[in-house]
């Protein structure tokens, strides 16, 4: 039985993960700490909000007194840190926020875990921790930077070469996790996943944005030539990978979570249009994202060989299921695409036609 702190659990992957754990591990007690930024929504969790194993707390991972109270009151022994600012385009507009939340927030969480789990909290040489404690940092393939077209996929020991303020903040947070493990012996691991898609993804990201624009017969804004490549994983497969790391992963290790589903953005958009029966004339090439990474791809060998994890979903079926989910969840879509999202969209895409 674990008492798990899930940070950022009202966002896309966090909410799917909470649902996944509740459905796959009856013994968990789950505390969801989320600041409810523009990206966090309790609407993502309505079906499980009254589950007795689940508790929501609104708050910020940078709030140390709040963290101390939660660790003490709920005897937390596991942290899964999803909380972050996550959109590359927003990081280009406001890098300081990403530094503050993603790096500062992770370090605050690490420090709280250290203080509450260390057997002798005041002894700087103590490397012993309460049994069963563990910290999992949810990171991204973007920390490795951009991969040339024919180059082999990134391995866990590939150098970190982040290119955007978002990926720089995630890489930096990863380094703090590593440092807490090396210096203090804190039981930590890191997962680095490729691009996720699936239910409850906020509409600013590629796949939901293109689905919703196509449904409304609005232009589909493809950055640059649209030939940038991403590796796409269905969110439920990311959840099963994270659970495999929690259950059987080694502290001090990093686990790449890749899907081996490399597609260009243009291919993705064409598949969405085809599925919805909409014309390709809706595609509009707009000015490229500054510093846009050309390709990401991950070598999965460690997690598949050591933990026996495999994705359970094929890309095309999962994309269809995702499209169906957006088609069938009008109320959720309306809640997400409110005035502030419209303002964001107008500001972000207004002057983008080359
Ligand atoms: P998201 O933007 O949908 O959700 C982020 C959540 O964090 C939101 O609920 C938000 O309210 C919360 N949050 C933000 N700042 C906070 C703070 N200071 N304190 C507490 N809560 C805060 O993001 P997501 O797509 O679900 O990503 C979750 C994690 O997975 C992130 O760490 C991200 O870097 C990582 N990741 C995402 C992907 C992807 O494709 N989406 C891929 C690899 C890794
Ligand atoms: P995104 O979903 O923002 O994820 P990330 O930048 O973290 O990979 O974008 C995925 C890809 O889609 C990326 O190459 C940028 C591109 N993209 C567009 O071409 N147009 C858009 O409107 C958006 C949001 C993304």
């Amino acid at each position: 039985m674990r008492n798990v702190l899930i940070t950022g659990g009202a966002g896309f992957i966090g909410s799917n993960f909470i649902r996944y754990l509740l459905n796959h591990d009856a013994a968990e007690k789950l505390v969801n700490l989320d600041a409810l930024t523009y990206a966090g929504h309790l609407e993502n969790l309505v079906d499980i909000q009254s589950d007795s194993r689940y508790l929501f707390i609104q708050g910020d991972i940078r709030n140390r007194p709040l963290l101390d109270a939660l660790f003490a009151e709920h005897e937390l022994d596991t942290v899964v840190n999803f909380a972050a600012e996550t959109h590359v385009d927003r990081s280009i507009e406001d890098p300081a926020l990403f530094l503050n939340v993603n790096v500062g927030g992770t370090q605050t969480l690490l420090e709280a875990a250290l203080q509450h789990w260390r057997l002798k909290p005041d002894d700087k040489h103590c490397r012993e921790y309460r049994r069963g404690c563990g910290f999992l940092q949810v990171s991204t393939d973007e920390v490795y930077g951009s991969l040339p077209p024919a180059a082999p996929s990134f391995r866990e020991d590939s150098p970190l070469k982040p290119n955007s303020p978002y990926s720089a903040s995630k890489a930096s947070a990863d380094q703090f996790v590593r440092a807490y493990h090396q210096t203090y012996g804190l039981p930590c691991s890191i997962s680095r996943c490729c691009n996720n898609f699936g239910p409850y993804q906020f509409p600013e990201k590629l796949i939901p944005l293109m689905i919703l624009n196509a449904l409304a017969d609005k232009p589909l804004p493809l950055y640059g030539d649209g030939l940038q490549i991403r590796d796409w994983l269905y969110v439920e497969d990311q959840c099963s990978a994270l659970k495999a790391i929690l259950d059987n992963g080694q502290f001090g290790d990093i686990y790449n979570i890749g899907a081996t589903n490399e597609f260009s953005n243009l291919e993705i958009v064409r598949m969405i249009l085809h599925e919805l029966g909409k014309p390709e004339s809706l595609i509009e090439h707009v000015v490229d994202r500054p510093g846009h990474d050309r390709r990401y791809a991950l070598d999965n060998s460690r997690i598949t060989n050591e933990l026996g994890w495999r994705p359970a979903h094929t890309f095309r079926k999962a994309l269809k299921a995702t499209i169906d989910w957006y088609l069938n969840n009008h109320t959720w879509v309306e809640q997400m695409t409110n005035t502030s999202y419209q303002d964001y969209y107008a500001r972000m895409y207004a002057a983008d036609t080359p």
Side-chain angles (χ1 to χ4, degrees):
M1 165 135 178
R2 283 190 282 240
N3 295 332
V4 189
L5 176 66
I6 293 174
T7 69
F12 163 49
I13 305 175
S15 61
N16 277 285
F17 185 66
I18 289 170
R19 186 172 294 103
Y20 185 89
L21 279 191
L22 290 174
N23 289 336
H24 289 84
D25 201 337
E28 310 274 355
K29 171 174 165 189
L30 306 179
V31 178
N32 172 14
L33 173 66
D34 196 299
L36 299 184
T37 69
Y38 80 93
H41 297 273
L42 294 179
E43 289 84 349
N44 297 356
L45 294 154
V46 276
D47 54 325
I48 52 99
Q49 66 191 0
S50 50
D51 192 304
S52 58
R53 296 165 293 169
Y54 168 75
L55 176 70
F56 173 70
I57 306 285
Q58 182 168 2
D60 197 303
I61 55 166
R62 293 166 293 177
N63 182 343
R64 181 65 196 277
L66 173 63
L67 294 181
D68 287 338
L70 293 177
F71 271 83
E73 183 181 348
H74 301 288
E75 299 181 349
L76 300 170
D77 49 40
T78 305
V79 174
V80 187
N81 183 26
F82 293 94
E85 289 290 334
T86 63
H87 193 32
V88 173
D89 294 330
R90 291 186 194 251
S91 81
I92 295 166
E93 288 204 316
D94 189 357
L97 175 68
F98 283 67
L99 170 66
N100 212 314
V101 172
N102 296 0
V103 187
T106 300
Q107 190 273 332
T108 310
L109 266 175
L110 288 164
E111 192 60 30
L114 179 82
Q115 288 301 319
H116 288 270
W117 294 345
R118 209 179 206 179
L119 288 185
K120 294 179 190 160
D122 298 327
D123 176 1
K124 71 176 178 182
H125 297 291
C126 173
R127 295 177 70 85
E128 288 180 289
Y129 291 83
R130 279 175 33 205
R131 273 192 69 220
C133 293
F135 188 110
L136 174 55
Q137 172 72 0
V138 181
S139 188
T140 166
D141 57 3
E142 304 194 26
V143 298
Y144 298 117
S146 190
L147 199 59
S153 304
F154 291 121
R155 293 158 38 105
E156 287 83 354
D157 57 4
S158 297
L160 301 188
K161 291 185 179 173
N163 292 318
S164 71
Y166 164 66
S167 54
S169 70
K170 293 295 291 186
S172 184
D174 287 8
Q175 301 291 43
F176 269 95
V177 175
R178 177 187 155 83
Y180 269 72
H181 179 74
Q182 293 293 124
T183 306
Y184 310 112
L186 188 73
C188 311
S189 44
I190 297 172
S191 65
R192 294 191 178 135
C193 192
C194 60
N195 283 57
N196 284 217
F197 68 103
Y200 300 102
Q201 187 166 29
F202 193 71
E204 68 188 353
K205 303 282 168 63
L206 178 79
I207 288 183
L209 187 146
M210 297 300 178
I211 294 171
L212 296 180
N213 279 22
L215 281 172
D217 296 309
K218 281 171 56 178
L220 273 49
L222 206 52
Y223 298 157
D225 59 10
L227 300 182
Q228 305 83 5
I229 290 171
R230 299 290 182 267
D231 180 14
W232 292 94
L233 184 72
Y234 193 54
V235 64
E236 201 176 301
D237 287 326
Q238 146 100 309
C239 295
S240 65
L242 294 175
K243 181 156 169 19
I245 298 169
L246 281 183
D247 290 347
N248 296 309
Q250 293 290 320
F251 295 128
D253 273 354
I254 297 165
Y255 295 91
N256 283 347
I257 310 172
T260 335
N261 282 321
E262 287 187 56
F263 294 105
S264 72
N265 297 333
L266 182 59
E267 288 173 301
I268 295 280
V269 166
R270 282 188 173 141
M271 283 185 248
I272 292 171
L273 288 170
H274 180 77
E275 193 59 50
L276 290 171
K278 299 285 183 174
E280 290 196 8
S281 56
L282 284 176
I283 296 173
E284 183 179 48
H285 288 269
V286 299
V287 172
D288 208 352
R289 171 187 280 176
H292 198 170
D293 285 337
R294 223 36 209 171
R295 177 179 167 228
Y296 304 134
L298 288 174
D299 181 330
N300 258 347
S301 315
R302 174 174 285 164
I303 193 165
T304 53
N305 294 340
E306 294 180 16
L307 304 186
W309 173 83
R310 298 267 182 299
H313 298 86
T314 60
F315 179 78
R316 289 193 185 256
K317 275 193 191 160
L319 182 65
K320 183 166 177 359
T322 303
I323 293 172
D324 289 344
W325 189 87
Y326 281 88
L327 281 170
N328 293 328
N329 285 275
H330 289 292
T331 312
W332 185 90
V333 168
E334 274 169 24
Q335 285 161 337
M336 299 305 124
T337 51
N338 57 13
T339 320
S340 68
Y341 178 74
Q342 302 297 340
D343 291 347
Y344 161 82
Y345 194 93
R347 181 165 46 84
M348 202 59 110
Y349 293 91
D352 268 358
T353 313

